[in-house]
Amino acid sequence: MNGPASASVPNSVGSAAPAFRPGAVQVAAPLLGGGLVGIASAYVLTAATGTRIPVGELWTWVLTAVLAGVVVPVLSPQYRVELGADFLVLHGGRRRDIAWRDIIGLEVRKTVGVRTVVVHVSDGRRIPLRAPMSFLDRRFDDKARLLVDWWTARRGGPDRV
């Protein structure tokens, strides 16, 4: 689901750097679920007040939620995290390079049952990564371990060994 996680050794030369990206289902499922819950809530509230929603209008709402669940993952920015030799590279609305030596810690944080990786930077910022995430991804632990291994191998910077 959540992008490829190669089993490359952090110090291997010539191998492609791993990259993580959220899968389409990981993006669409919360949106679709939220839309359908909203529609069900609106239907229940209107029924409780004695107002009836025509079946055609209800189907329009449902189809709109389903269409949004399909279109948004396709049209949204392509978020990904790349593990480079000197930088952790975040792609999304814009590109952000974070030098490995500037990262003081990596933390796996659980929010609403979904685990993500949070990067702690030396200037005090905490940057949650959109990928990898445990939602619908059985390989999350392997990907998080790979990320920590890359950071551990490179955090001293090019000057230190």
Side-chain angles (χ1 to χ4, degrees):
M1 292 272 166
N2 186 350
S6 69
S8 64
V9 179
N11 291 323
S12 63
V13 177
S15 63
F20 308 113
R21 65 186 63 199
V25 175
Q26 289 177 307
V27 175
L31 178 69
L32 182 59
L36 294 177
V37 166
I39 291 168
S41 299
Y43 186 75
V44 167
L45 287 173
T46 55
T49 61
T51 309
R52 295 270 181 207
I53 299 174
V55 173
E57 188 174 336
L58 181 62
W59 274 111
T60 302
W61 290 358
V62 171
L63 291 176
T64 301
V66 170
L67 183 62
V70 171
V71 171
V72 168
V74 172
L75 296 180
S76 64
Q78 297 300 313
Y79 294 103
R80 70 180 186 278
V81 175
E82 293 176 0
L83 310 182
D86 298 321
F87 297 97
L88 175 66
V89 183
L90 309 178
H91 295 273
R94 62 184 176 98
R95 178 186 166 120
R96 181 190 295 180
D97 296 346
I98 304 170
W100 290 112
R101 68 180 174 276
D102 293 339
I103 297 174
I104 59 172
L106 296 173
E107 170 190 13
V108 174
R109 183 174 292 168
K110 188 173 186 178
T111 306
V112 193
V114 177
R115 292 178 297 145
T116 58
V117 177
V118 177
V119 177
H120 296 266
V121 187
S122 59
D123 64 5
R125 291 179 296 152
R126 292 183 178 162
I127 303 167
L129 303 180
R130 294 189 182 207
M133 78 168 91
S134 67
F135 180 66
L136 298 174
D137 186 3
R138 293 182 181 152
R139 297 183 321 154
F140 170 78
D141 292 323
D142 296 333
K143 293 172 185 178
R145 170 65 20 213
L146 180 63
L147 181 59
V148 169
D149 290 346
W150 272 68
W151 170 63
T152 302
R154 290 165 173 76
R155 66 182 165 189
D159 304 353
R160 302 181 208 158
V161 178

